[in-house]
Amino acid sequence: MFREDTICAVATPPGEGGIGIIRISGEKSKEILGAVFSGKIKDRELTYGHIVNPGDGSELDEVMAVFLPSPHTYTKEDVAEIHCHGGAITIKNVLDLIISLGARMAESGEFTKRAFLNGRIDLAQAEAVMDVVGAKSDMASKAALSQLRGRFSEEIENLRGNMINALVNIDVNIDYPDEDIEELTYEGLNQAISSCLEEVENLIMGAQAGKILKDGIETAIVGRPNVGKSSLLNGLLREERAIVTEIPGTTRDTIQEYANIGGIIFRFTDTAGIRETTDPVEKLGIERSLSSKDSAEIVICLVDGSEEIREEDKELIKGLNPSRDILVINKEDKGLFPSLEELEEICRVNGKKIDPLILSVREKSGIEKIEEALLEKASLGMGGISKDMVLVTNARHLESLKNAEKSLKEALIGIEERQPLELIEIDVREAYEQLGFITGDSIQDDVIEEVFKRFCLGK
C-alpha cells in the first residue's frame, strides 16, 4: 500500500439508490476531478455539473461534486467526491474513468488507514469507525461515537503518562542509587502502580457491558415441541418470522434473529423442540437446540402450563441457572396449571429457587413481562452502566488491557518483595507497551494490516 498513490472507491452501499458517492484521496484528486467534471470547482463547495470523458467528450452522468483540500479532510490528504446517480452501471463507468486518469482502487479500509498513518486519528479511533457503521442500537452507537471522538484513547494516554512518570522515577534511582531514595522510590511506586492498576481494572469492568452493546446477548429459546417457542420469537420480533402450528415438531432447525429491546440487542435462537424422536432430521435439530442452549448467555425455557409437566420439562429446568435464565410457564389463558406445591418443587434448581413467569405468550402483556425479565438479566450481566463509564467494545483492546493488568500486578509483587528496580521496570514497561498496542503507538505493521482488512471498501 503506497501512501503517495491517489486512491478511489465507492463510498455508498452496492445496489440501486438515489445517490452513489465516489471518493478520491491523494495528490491527484483535484487534477482528476478537473479533468472529468464540467462544473466550476470551488474548495469545500458542492457544485453542479456533468461527468465528461475527456477522451471522446461523451457525457456519463449529471452530478454534484466537491473538492476538499488537505489537511482538513478525513485522510488529511486532498479529497474529491463525486455524487452520481446510484445506478450500478453509472457508478462503474465513472469509477473506470477515474482509474484511467491515474487513480487506483482503494483497498479495504485504506481511507481510514491513511487517516491513522497521517496522524488524524489513532488506531482505537480507527477501529471505532466500523463500530459506528455496524452499531445495532442507540446505546451501541453512542459508545462507538464516544470512542471515535477519542474518549477511550484519552484514558489510555493518561494511563501511559502515569506509567512514564513511574518509569522515570525508577531510572533515576537506578542511575543515582541511594538507600533513602530507594526506599522512597518503592513507596512511591507502590502508590503509582496501584493507581494505574485500579484504572486498568475499571476499563476491564466496562468490557462486558461494551461487548453486550456491540454484539448483543445470545439468547436461546428452548422447550418441548409445541410449548410456544415460535410464538414467543414472533412476539419479541413483532413479526411472523417462525411458522406456528398445532403440530409438534414444526421447527426442525434453529432460527436466529435480532431484536432491539430497551436499547439492548438480543440475538434470539428459536430451537427445535426437545423430545425423544426417531426422525433423523428432527434429531439433528434437537442436537443443535442443545448446543444453542449450552452456548447462550441467557436461556428462556418454556413449559406448557396447560398440561402435566413432563420429565423432559423437569430435565430442562434442572439445567437452568437461576441468576441468568428465565423460566416461563406458558398458556396461562388455558387455565390448567399444575398444583402450586408441585411447581414450587420443580422450580428449586441446585438449591436455589427460580421464579417462573406464568403468562401467555400470545398476549401482549405476556411478551412485555418477558422483555422486562430480559432487560433485568441483561442489566445484571452488564454490571450496570454509569454515565462516566468508558466502554471497551473491542476484543483486541480487552486483551491488551488484561496483559497490562497482569504486568502491573507482577510489578506490585516485585515492589512488595523489594526485588531489584531493574526487574520491576521490565513489568511496568511491558504494561506501558501493552496500552500502546491499543492506540497504535507501539504496534507492529502486521497487526495494523489485520485491523484494516476488516473494513469495508470506501471507508
Side-chain angles (χ1 to χ4, degrees):
M1 199 179 283
F2 300 97
R3 288 170 60 191
E4 63 268 23
D5 285 2
T6 297
I7 57 173
C8 63
V10 180
T12 42
E16 293 183 1
I19 299 292
I21 299 174
I22 295 174
R23 179 178 291 157
I24 312 168
S25 180
E27 60 182 19
K28 290 185 178 179
S29 297
K30 189 169 188 178
E31 176 188 331
I32 291 173
L33 182 63
V36 301
F37 183 56
S38 67
K40 186 174 182 181
I41 299 173
K42 300 177 183 178
D43 289 1
R44 304 190 178 282
E45 192 173 310
L46 195 65
T47 54
Y48 167 80
H50 294 82
I51 296 298
V52 178
N53 188 328
D56 57 16
S58 61
E59 187 177 295
L60 275 64
D61 194 20
E62 183 181 31
V63 304
M64 301 290 285
V66 62
F67 173 72
L68 308 169
S70 65
H72 303 295
T73 65
Y74 184 71
T75 59
K76 289 193 78 172
E77 302 173 337
D78 286 349
V79 170
E81 284 188 359
I82 299 172
H83 296 224
C84 314
H85 287 97
I89 298 301
T90 299
I91 292 173
K92 178 184 179 300
N93 289 340
V94 175
L95 194 62
D96 287 345
L97 179 61
I98 291 168
I99 291 171
S100 72
L101 293 172
R104 67 166 173 84
M105 277 295 293
E107 297 183 12
S108 297
E110 189 169 359
F111 290 95
T112 305
K113 183 176 183 181
R114 290 188 176 204
F116 165 66
L117 293 174
N118 291 329
R120 197 183 78 81
I121 55 176
D122 64 31
L123 196 58
Q125 290 174 289
E127 289 170 293
V129 170
M130 288 311 296
D131 288 346
V132 171
V133 172
K136 298 181 180 70
S137 71
D138 289 343
M139 291 176 71
S141 177
K142 287 177 183 176
L145 280 170
S146 174
Q147 184 167 317
L148 181 58
R149 292 184 184 124
R151 188 177 170 209
F152 177 50
S153 301
E154 187 178 326
E155 291 279 336
I156 295 299
E157 287 308 312
N158 288 339
L159 260 171
R160 295 186 89 218
N162 292 337
M163 289 180 190
I164 279 290
N165 291 336
L167 287 168
V168 168
N169 289 336
I170 292 173
D171 288 340
V172 168
N173 193 281
I174 290 172
D175 293 338
Y176 304 99
D178 182 276
E179 285 188 12
D180 293 336
I181 294 177
E182 183 176 333
E183 190 56 37
L184 287 172
T185 300
Y186 278 119
E187 291 176 9
L189 274 178
N190 187 66
Q191 292 178 3
I193 300 305
S194 295
S195 176
C196 289
L197 178 60
E198 184 180 350
E199 291 183 54
V200 168
E201 288 175 337
N202 286 338
L203 289 172
I204 292 173
M205 282 174 59
Q208 179 61 23
K211 179 181 181 298
I212 288 173
L213 286 182
K214 181 180 177 181
D215 300 329
I217 302 176
E218 191 172 340
T219 307
I221 304 172
V222 302
R224 288 189 294 106
N226 212 29
V227 295
K229 299 186 300 300
S230 296
S231 294
L232 173 57
L233 178 65
N234 290 340
L236 291 166
L237 298 176
R238 305 296 196 270
E239 65 173 279
E240 297 299 311
R241 171 64 179 85
I243 299 171
V244 178
T245 74
E246 296 297 324
I247 303 169
T250 302
T251 302
R252 294 197 167 201
D253 199 357
T254 55
I255 299 173
Q256 290 190 320
E257 288 290 344
Y258 288 84
N260 185 334
I261 301 173
I264 305 294
I265 295 298
F266 291 85
R267 291 180 289 150
F268 290 110
T269 302
D270 179 20
T271 64
I274 297 171
R275 64 173 177 177
E276 291 294 327
T277 181
T278 57
D279 186 321
V281 177
E282 191 175 357
K283 269 187 174 181
L284 185 59
I286 291 170
E287 287 175 10
R288 291 187 179 182
S289 298
L290 294 172
S291 176
S292 297
K293 174 181 175 292
D294 292 340
S295 63
E297 294 163 282
I298 296 176
V299 173
I300 304 175
C301 177
L302 264 71
V303 172
D304 186 344
S306 68
E307 59 184 37
E308 290 296 321
I309 293 182
R310 302 181 191 176
E311 285 303 315
E312 295 101 321
D313 298 318
K314 294 178 181 179
E315 286 300 314
L316 282 171
I317 294 170
K318 282 180 185 177
L320 297 180
N321 181 340
S323 62
R324 180 200 70 176
D325 300 330
I326 301 169
L327 173 61
V328 175
I329 309 295
N330 189 27
K331 304 189 182 181
E332 179 188 25
D333 51 315
K334 296 194 175 180
L336 299 174
F337 287 87
S339 68
L340 290 176
E341 293 79 9
E342 183 185 3
L343 193 57
E344 285 279 337
E345 184 61 33
I346 291 167
C347 291
R348 294 194 180 280
V349 181
N350 300 323
K352 297 180 181 178
K353 186 175 181 296
I354 182 167
D355 295 320
L357 299 175
I358 300 175
L359 47 81
S360 171
V361 300
R362 289 184 178 274
E363 297 177 2
K364 183 182 177 184
S365 60
I367 296 296
E368 288 173 349
K369 285 181 182 178
I370 294 175
E371 288 178 336
E372 288 172 8
L374 284 167
L375 287 174
E376 183 183 345
K377 300 295 183 183
S379 177
L380 290 172
M382 296 169 77
I385 300 179
S386 68
K387 202 171 185 182
D388 298 326
M389 183 181 285
V390 176
L391 300 179
V392 180
T393 59
N394 186 294
R396 188 182 70 80
H397 301 168
L398 178 59
E399 182 183 6
S400 291
L401 285 169
K402 286 183 174 179
N403 290 336
E405 178 189 36
K406 180 182 176 184
S407 294
L408 290 173
K409 285 180 176 179
E410 289 174 353
L412 286 174
I413 291 170
I415 292 168
E416 186 180 341
E417 295 175 350
R418 292 300 190 263
Q419 293 176 5
L421 290 172
E422 289 86 349
L423 296 180
I424 296 169
E425 181 189 28
I426 292 172
D427 291 325
V428 178
R429 194 169 294 281
E430 175 60 23
Y432 176 81
E433 291 294 316
Q434 286 294 332
L435 295 181
F437 291 156
I438 293 173
T439 55
D441 291 319
S442 54
I443 203 164
Q444 292 130 348
D445 289 345
D446 57 339
V447 177
I448 293 172
E449 292 294 329
E450 190 59 37
V451 165
F452 288 102
K453 277 181 184 176
R454 300 170 189 168
F455 280 58
C456 54
L457 286 171
K459 199 58 185 165

